[in-house]
Amino acid sequence: MITHGEPDDAEVIGRARRDPAAFSVLFDRHAPALHRYVTRRLGDSLADDVVAETFLAAFRRLTRYDTAHRDARPWLYGIAANLIGKHRRAEVRAYLALARTGTDEVAESYADRVEARVSASAAHQELAEALAVLSPEDREVLLMIAWADFSYEEVARALGIPVGTVRSRLHRARRKTRAALGGVDPSAVEEETTRG
């Protein structure tokens, strides 16, 4: 999060091109949220490595970053998405395990897991099953919007695809997850289970 008076990401990248130590600002600013996102996708065991690889790749590509884009999050999440792609089997296994057990070991504390088992494990299981059967491309778009809170334009930039493709993939992913949940909007299920 950039506060008033702090340089935006493009300025930080410009500085880091001259002074590599300045790159730490970008890491400090975005690593925690990126780590949470990757943890939800792949689990804690892979998140540290993927986030480290993401920032290493970003550092190596500093000279290629287009500083017309003031926010580097889509760029960083795009790099992470490519790395997550290498771990897709682990992600699908995690969703299938969640579908079988109803327990999201990654995103929930112990107390949350106990409560979720009692009140919403069926919804979690159905949602996990729906996520597991989505194509990797559709799942990537859906989760960047749902978990990283990206706009369509940010997802398009992150994945290097047109906004229209983002819209069609998101529509397809929502339609499939809604059908898997018996017509229930998946975002409503997520809100209910996190409030419960």
Side-chain angles (χ1 to χ4, degrees):
M1 178 79 137
I2 300 170
T3 59
H4 183 66
E6 288 185 354
D8 64 26
D9 293 342
E11 292 174 72
V12 171
I13 289 171
R15 287 182 194 164
R17 289 174 178 166
R18 296 181 305 280
D19 176 15
F23 188 76
S24 66
V25 172
L26 201 65
F27 181 86
D28 293 342
R29 187 176 286 169
H30 298 297
L34 184 62
H35 191 276
R36 284 189 300 276
Y37 178 76
V38 174
T39 299
R40 290 188 81 179
R41 297 289 306 271
L42 298 175
D44 201 38
S45 64
L46 293 172
D48 289 341
D49 291 341
V50 170
V51 171
E53 289 176 52
T54 297
F55 280 95
L56 179 60
F59 183 76
R60 289 179 177 157
R61 298 177 191 162
L62 279 178
T63 58
R64 294 186 284 184
Y65 183 78
D66 180 359
T67 55
H69 299 290
R70 309 313 289 173
D71 182 2
R73 288 178 320 131
W75 178 58
L76 294 168
Y77 279 72
I79 295 169
N82 288 332
L83 295 169
I84 288 169
K86 295 177 182 179
H87 299 282
R88 287 205 200 282
R89 279 188 242 146
E91 180 183 29
V92 171
R93 276 195 308 272
Y95 289 133
L96 292 174
L98 175 58
R100 279 190 311 277
T101 65
T103 303
D104 187 348
E105 299 291 335
V106 171
E108 302 172 343
S109 69
Y110 177 75
D112 290 339
R113 285 195 301 269
V114 170
E115 185 176 337
R117 283 185 194 137
V118 172
S119 65
S121 65
H124 276 267
Q125 289 171 306
E126 291 168 358
L127 182 57
E129 287 171 5
L131 289 172
V133 298
L134 290 177
S135 73
E137 297 81 9
D138 291 352
R139 185 172 48 248
E140 193 71 58
V141 168
L142 178 68
L143 296 180
M144 277 193 178
I145 287 179
W147 290 350
D149 200 28
F150 274 17
S151 68
Y152 293 174
E153 292 77 15
E154 289 170 324
V155 173
R157 236 178 74 217
L159 300 178
I161 58 177
V163 172
T165 303
V166 170
R167 291 179 191 281
S168 64
R169 287 181 183 175
L170 181 61
H171 175 74
R172 187 171 41 249
R174 284 179 171 161
R175 181 176 34 85
K176 288 179 179 179
T177 54
R178 193 176 294 119
L181 295 173
V184 175
D185 180 4
S187 59
V189 170
E190 183 65 24
E191 288 174 14
E192 282 178 27
T193 58
T194 56
R195 270 190 251 147

